[in-house]
Amino acid sequence: MRKLAMVAAAAIVVSGCVRADADRSHGPASTSSTEASPSADPSGVPVSTASPSPAGVAVSPAVSPARTSTAAPSRFATLQPGARLPAGDQCAGWVRARPKKENKGVNRAANSVTGQHVDASTFGGGAGLAKRVDGQFTGTTEEILRWAACKWGIDEDLVKAQAAIESWWRQDTLGDFGTDAGACPEGHGLGADGQAGKCPQSYGILQNRYPYMKTAFPGAMRSTAMSADLAYGIWRICMEGHETWLNTVERGQQYAAGDAWGCVGRWFSGRWHTEASEQYVGRVKDYLNQRIWETPNFQQP
């Protein structure tokens, strides 16, 4: 059975939270430009109404906010496949119109660094969307996450919850330590980051995985905006139905467009609705329901 960078199950303490890194992979098994037909999210989240899902994730119809209003939206919701996505600079204007205080002081340097463009080979399809990734935003940590949510048409609270699972909103988080020297970015060779004979493969607020995203480095390590921009660019390509390679590997059901939570699970496992994917989604939903980013213990200004 073909597997992608399967990692032995381990519980890693990350800045006050525990992140279980079982069977973690962010990379495609192959590439395809075939687009699947849109469908409803199997988790019960519709893709054509503005009503929030039971997990609190709002979904908007296929109309870009940039085309409907010049006022800054109070929050950003998930856009269905085929929606016109707002431009990065439009999202920057909206986000800055509703400023948020910094609650992760450790990120100040990385929050002031912008990112870079990536090669389309980083994505398993959807090369046109890949061109939008650039990490061109600076601000507080919450502003950066809102900017990425706006730019890629994903519910901002889902983004905040997932980033908490991945890193407790810390851009300096290192994860997925392994012994393969070829999976180490420059400057992070085996043993350089505190674990003898190992190097981290995942970096940043969304834990972008170097072996599958090499053209996004070093930006994904240095820039909070780049880490978030890349992660949700990949999520959107999945949401649009471009990752048909997911139907060629182990899966719990057939991959199709429009499954927002399925694409969240795919970020963790590199697979579609497998047990590992569903467990990860359950953890994100738990943080979402708690609104963990608003709790006192989360605040580290």
Side-chain angles (χ1 to χ4, degrees):
M1 181 172 61
R2 186 177 184 183
K3 294 185 179 181
L4 292 174
M6 293 305 189
V7 180
I12 300 176
V13 177
V14 181
S15 305
C17 68
V18 177
R19 184 164 60 82
D21 283 338
D23 294 348
R24 183 184 187 82
S25 170
H26 300 327
S30 61
T31 59
S32 172
S33 59
T34 304
E35 185 169 336
S37 300
S39 67
D41 181 346
S43 68
V45 180
V47 296
S48 60
T49 76
S51 301
S53 75
V57 178
V59 182
S60 296
V63 179
S64 166
R67 306 295 181 182
T68 60
S69 174
T70 57
S74 59
R75 67 185 306 275
F76 302 111
T78 298
L79 299 179
Q80 71 174 17
R84 291 177 296 179
L85 300 172
D89 57 355
Q90 173 68 84
C91 290
W94 282 336
V95 168
R96 289 178 177 138
R98 295 177 179 271
K100 301 290 184 180
K101 293 181 179 180
E102 183 58 75
N103 69 345
K104 295 291 175 182
V106 69
N107 292 342
R108 283 192 173 89
N111 288 355
S112 68
V113 177
T114 56
Q116 64 195 67
H117 286 285
V118 300
D119 189 277
S121 63
T122 300
F123 294 77
L129 287 170
K131 295 177 181 178
R132 301 182 86 235
V133 176
D134 57 15
Q136 293 300 302
F137 182 75
T138 60
T140 66
T141 303
E142 186 170 0
E143 288 168 355
I144 288 170
L145 294 175
R146 295 192 74 232
W147 171 78
C150 171
K151 183 176 178 179
W152 294 106
I154 179 171
D155 185 277
E156 65 177 82
D157 289 343
L158 190 161
V159 169
K160 294 171 187 177
Q162 186 177 11
I165 289 288
E166 291 290 344
S167 68
W168 210 238
W169 286 21
R170 291 181 61 114
Q171 176 63 17
D172 63 352
T173 299
L174 307 176
D176 297 312
F177 281 77
T179 59
D180 180 5
C184 308
E186 183 177 355
H188 294 267
L190 299 178
D193 289 289
Q195 293 195 24
K198 296 182 179 182
C199 72
Q201 295 184 10
S202 297
Y203 298 79
I205 195 167
L206 265 302
Q207 289 293 274
N208 310 94
R209 196 159 187 177
Y210 174 73
Y212 301 110
M213 309 175 190
K214 291 182 178 180
T215 67
F217 283 71
M221 291 189 292
R222 298 173 180 173
S223 167
T224 311
M226 183 65 189
S227 177
D229 199 15
L230 178 63
Y232 291 107
I234 292 173
W235 177 90
R236 173 51 62 177
I237 283 175
C238 173
M239 182 72 165
E240 292 293 326
H242 293 297
E243 295 198 306
T244 53
W245 60 268
L246 286 164
N247 282 330
T248 70
V249 294
E250 176 192 7
R251 58 199 179 276
Q253 62 189 59
Q254 286 297 104
Y255 165 72
D259 185 344
W261 284 112
C263 292
V264 171
R266 165 260 187 267
W267 177 254
F268 177 80
S269 66
R271 295 294 183 266
W272 193 247
H273 285 286
T274 59
E275 182 178 358
S277 304
E278 298 306 306
Q279 290 175 350
Y280 177 75
V281 166
R283 294 174 62 225
V284 175
K285 287 182 176 180
D286 179 51
Y287 272 18
L288 176 62
N289 290 333
Q290 292 183 56
R291 298 187 68 82
I292 196 75
W293 59 92
E294 295 177 350
T295 61
N297 288 341
F298 194 82
Q299 311 312 310
Q300 298 172 319

